């Protein structure tokens, strides 16, 4: 099995392993061995670089040695290619400059705080070299710049803030978001003009919108219990299957949570009471709808432009995230309707004669809006069903339970929604050896 230090020679074996040397560990000559896929061409430096980058993307991304190897190889390729006076027949392309830039940006996350800005600026410099070589309208480089801008916002802005931060301390934040919007929309327009959306079938492009979604979640919860902020790419593998009829989908916020000790439902919801000061750099972003609207509109656009032969993983991710976003949007009208129903039941004797017609009409409007949004979610979640993933069945079941809760008690519509949800939950429970027993029993009412 052939081995080499990146940048020092070619791999001779068909099944390659690449070793990269950590510059900061020269004393003990620590080496990292990375096995690349069989399809990587051992005689093509760019193929090896792309393979190593893919290895990094698919890893836990916690080992800077891989990034050092990638950057060392990028340096070597530039130094040795004939365009720069070297003797190797290597034609660098936009993908090369994209990887070079992203690797530098990712490496910044391992650096001391005082060096981070320099590394991010270096990544943007490499990207500008790519633009100068392949044109300012290059779609791949525009999208990669979107990625780096979001990382810059996360690391150099939000990551440096606290609840007492002032807007004057972080100038240019809204401008960075606007630049991200413009770059993304321009990339879409370029693809539309060429009627070529092939690049959107690549997972890393969808990851950009996922990063943006994560940032919005962090901003929305800023100053509250930050442990509630979850990476959008992480699946809830620790889900204990517990839930209530009203706790599925839009009602999940009503379940008891443990946030550093035993916490009641009302205590868990008190985090919403925290308000940033008006001069906080994130205040306006929290209050403006345009950021969430941008995410939703562009996820819907992503759904439209995905090719029929796009990766099932990408398709499921797009549909699942859109479905969950509709369920989240439905929470407010559902909460209003449920509150009205509860108060009506509590004051039934008085309400029989003096019911407020205006409040009743508002509650019905809220119910219809909730039904509409949950219906959108169910349609999307049906497209995510995976025969190998019981969690996709449970996600749909929870949305169906939420829909059922919005119908009149014991109505045919409610029973239909519950029946389908029960069927899905029983199947998932059997497939996972009882993992969803609690939520199933809460639905069917069995002992």
């Amino acid at each position: 099995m052939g081995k080499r230090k990146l940048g020092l020679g070619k791999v001779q074996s068909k099944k390659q392993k690449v070793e990269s040397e950590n510059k900061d560990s020269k004393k003990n000559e620590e080496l990292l061995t990375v096995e690349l896929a069989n399809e990587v061409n051992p005689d093509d430096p760019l193929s090896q670089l792309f393979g190593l980058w893919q290895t990094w993307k698919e890893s836990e991304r916690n080992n800077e040695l891989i990034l050092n190897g990638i950057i060392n190889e990028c340096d070597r390729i530039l130094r040795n290619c004939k365009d720069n006076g070297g003797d190797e027949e290597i034609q660098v392309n936009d993908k090369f400059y994209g990887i070079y830039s992203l690797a530098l940006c990712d490496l910044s996350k391992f650096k001391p705080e005082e060096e981070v800005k320099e590394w991010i600026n270096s990544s943007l410099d490499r990207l500008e070299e790519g633009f100068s070589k392949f044109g300012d309208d290059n779609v791949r480089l525009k999208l990669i710049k979107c990625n780096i801008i979001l990382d810059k916002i996360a690391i150099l802005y939000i990551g440096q803030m606290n609840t007492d931060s002032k807007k004057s301390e972080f100038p240019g934040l809204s401008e960075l978001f606007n630049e991200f919007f413009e770059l993304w929309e321009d990339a879409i327009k370029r693809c539309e003009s060429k009627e070529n959306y092939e690049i959107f079938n690549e997972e890393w492009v969808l990851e950009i919108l996922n990063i943006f979604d994560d940032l919005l979640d962090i901003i929305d919860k800023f100053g509250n219990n930050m442990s509630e902020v979850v990476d959008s790419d992480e699946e809830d593998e620790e889900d204990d299957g517990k839930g209530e009829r009203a706790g599925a989908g839009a009602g999940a916020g009503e379940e008891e949570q443990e946030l550093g000790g035993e916490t009641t439902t009302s205590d868990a919801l008190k985090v919403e009471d925290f308000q940033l000061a008006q001069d906080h750099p994130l205040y306006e972003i929290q209050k403006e709808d345009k950021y969430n609207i941008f995410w939703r509109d562009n996820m819907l656009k992503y759904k439209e432009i995905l090719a029929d032969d796009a990766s099932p993983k990408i398709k499921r991710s797009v549909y699942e995230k859109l479905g969950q976003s509709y369920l989240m949007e439905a929470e407010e009208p559902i909460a209003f309707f449920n509150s009205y129903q509860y108060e009506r039941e509590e004051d039934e004797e008085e309400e029989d004669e003096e019911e407020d017609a205006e409040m009743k009409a508002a509650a019905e409007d809220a119910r219809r809006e909730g039904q509409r949004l949950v219906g959108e979610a169910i349609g999307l979640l049906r497209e995510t069903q995976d025969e190998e993933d019981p969690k996709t069945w449970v996600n749909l079941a929870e949305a169906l339970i939420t829909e059922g809760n919005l119908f009149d008690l014991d109505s045919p519509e409610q029973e239909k929604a519950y029946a389908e949800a029960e069927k899905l939950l029983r199947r998932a429970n059997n497939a996972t050896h009882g993992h969803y027993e609690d939520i199933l029993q809460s639905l069917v009412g069995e002992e």
Side-chain angles (χ1 to χ4, degrees):
M1 202 172 281
K3 298 182 180 179
R4 72 173 174 113
K5 297 176 184 176
L6 282 182
L8 299 181
K10 292 185 177 180
V11 173
Q12 302 299 323
S13 169
K14 289 184 179 179
K15 186 175 183 181
Q16 309 85 23
K17 285 190 176 180
V18 179
E19 296 175 340
S20 64
E21 185 170 4
N22 184 2
K23 292 181 178 179
D24 298 326
S25 305
K26 285 184 178 180
K27 290 183 179 180
N28 59 12
E29 295 183 349
E30 180 183 358
L31 295 176
L32 176 72
T33 300
V34 179
E35 187 168 348
L36 303 181
N38 287 334
E39 60 267 21
V40 173
N41 184 350
D43 297 318
D44 182 353
L46 287 181
S47 178
Q48 289 203 37
L49 176 65
F50 300 160
L52 187 57
W53 177 249
Q54 191 61 30
T55 297
W56 165 254
K57 296 291 285 184
E58 294 173 357
S59 72
E60 294 181 1
R61 307 185 195 182
N62 59 3
N63 193 330
E64 64 179 302
L65 292 178
I66 301 178
L67 289 172
N68 283 328
I70 292 169
I71 293 168
N72 288 342
E73 184 71 344
C74 288
D75 288 338
R76 188 196 70 81
I77 287 173
L78 279 183
R79 185 169 60 249
N80 292 350
C81 69
K82 284 195 171 182
D83 284 351
N84 290 331
D87 56 3
E88 290 192 40
E89 290 286 353
I90 305 174
Q91 290 293 324
V92 296
N93 52 22
D94 55 353
K95 189 174 181 180
F96 167 85
Y97 279 100
I99 289 174
Y100 200 173
S101 302
L102 289 171
L104 287 165
C105 185
D106 283 353
L107 191 59
S108 72
K109 301 165 189 175
F110 295 91
K111 297 301 178 181
E113 184 175 340
E114 62 272 14
E115 296 180 17
V116 170
K117 184 175 181 179
E118 180 182 353
W119 282 91
I120 292 177
N121 287 340
S122 293
S123 74
L124 290 169
D125 289 342
R126 293 296 179 274
L127 202 59
E128 290 305 316
E129 291 177 14
F131 278 121
S132 65
K133 191 173 182 67
F134 299 101
D136 291 337
D137 59 349
N138 185 280
V139 171
R140 181 177 296 275
L141 297 180
K142 282 180 179 291
L143 293 172
I144 288 170
K145 191 169 185 179
C146 285
N147 192 326
I148 295 175
I149 286 174
L150 293 180
D151 278 346
K152 182 176 181 178
I153 290 171
I155 299 169
L156 296 181
Y157 285 80
I158 298 175
Q160 305 298 318
M161 294 178 189
N162 56 45
T163 54
D164 296 323
S165 294
K166 305 299 181 185
K167 190 174 182 180
S168 59
E169 299 173 328
F170 295 90
L173 178 58
S174 61
E175 288 79 6
L176 278 175
F177 273 115
N178 289 336
E179 185 178 4
F180 163 70
F181 294 156
E182 292 171 7
L183 284 165
W184 181 273
E185 290 174 341
D186 193 47
I188 294 281
K189 290 176 182 177
R190 297 286 179 184
C191 291
E192 286 176 339
S193 66
K194 297 178 180 178
E195 297 184 352
N196 183 351
Y197 300 100
E198 197 170 310
I199 195 170
F200 288 90
N201 296 329
E202 299 179 24
E203 288 185 27
W204 68 271
V205 179
L206 178 59
E207 186 178 345
I208 296 171
L209 286 181
N210 291 342
I211 293 170
F212 180 57
D213 188 33
D214 289 339
L215 282 181
L216 295 183
D217 196 33
I218 292 170
I219 292 169
D220 186 54
K221 295 179 173 67
F222 195 88
N224 298 322
N225 191 316
M226 297 307 292
S227 65
E228 294 181 357
V229 180
V230 179
D231 189 314
S232 66
D233 286 332
E234 291 180 2
E235 298 200 5
D236 188 12
E237 296 178 355
E238 297 180 359
D239 185 353
D240 60 5
K242 295 180 181 179
E244 305 292 338
R245 281 193 175 194
E254 297 177 9
E255 296 180 12
E256 291 189 2
Q257 303 178 36
E258 293 185 1
L259 304 175
E262 187 173 345
T263 306
T264 65
T265 300
S266 59
D267 289 337
L269 294 176
K270 284 181 181 177
V271 296
E272 298 298 330
D273 295 336
F274 181 84
Q275 295 288 329
L276 293 174
Q278 292 189 18
D279 61 349
H280 193 277
L282 299 181
Y283 176 82
E284 292 181 0
I285 299 174
Q286 276 190 352
K287 298 301 180 184
E288 288 190 30
D289 288 335
K290 72 174 186 177
Y291 298 92
N292 287 311
I293 291 172
F294 178 90
W295 180 85
R296 169 76 68 75
D297 287 348
N298 281 281
M299 284 296 284
L300 288 169
K301 182 67 176 179
Y302 213 113
K303 180 172 76 75
E304 292 175 9
I305 64 181
L306 273 177
D308 293 337
D309 60 350
S311 160
K313 179 181 177 182
I314 294 179
K315 286 184 175 180
R316 281 194 295 269
S317 180
V318 171
Y319 281 86
E320 196 272 335
K321 289 181 182 300
L322 279 170
Q324 294 298 335
S325 76
Y326 279 110
L327 288 176
M328 288 180 64
E329 187 178 350
E331 288 179 2
E332 187 173 339
I334 290 174
F336 180 85
F337 173 73
N338 287 341
S339 176
Y340 170 78
Q341 290 291 94
Y342 176 77
E343 291 175 3
R344 184 182 180 187
E345 291 171 3
E346 289 289 302
D347 305 324
E348 186 172 355
E349 293 183 1
E350 300 176 14
E351 292 291 346
D352 284 343
E353 297 180 1
E354 302 178 7
E355 185 174 23
D356 187 336
E358 184 176 341
M359 181 63 73
K360 182 178 180 179
E364 283 302 312
D365 286 344
R367 172 156 71 167
R368 282 191 291 270
E369 179 64 4
Q371 288 173 330
R372 182 187 71 81
L373 292 167
V374 174
E376 292 279 1
I378 288 172
L380 290 160
L381 292 175
R382 289 192 189 282
E383 298 296 326
T384 71
Q385 298 303 283
D386 182 354
E387 290 299 310
E388 304 297 324
D389 186 1
K391 188 69 171 96
T392 63
W393 318 337
V394 175
N395 287 341
L396 177 57
E398 290 178 332
L400 287 163
I401 293 171
T402 301
E403 181 183 52
N405 294 341
L406 292 170
F407 291 120
D408 291 337
L409 186 64
D410 297 327
S411 66
E413 295 86 356
Q414 184 181 76
E415 292 304 317
K416 181 181 178 182
Y418 285 167
E420 185 179 357
E422 179 184 349
K423 183 178 179 181
L424 288 164
L425 287 172
R426 288 193 183 280
R427 183 185 179 202
N429 200 44
N430 290 337
T432 58
H433 307 290
H435 188 67
Y436 298 104
E437 185 68 24
D438 287 347
I439 188 172
L440 175 61
Q441 296 310 321
S442 71
L443 173 63
V444 301
E446 296 177 358
E447 297 295 333

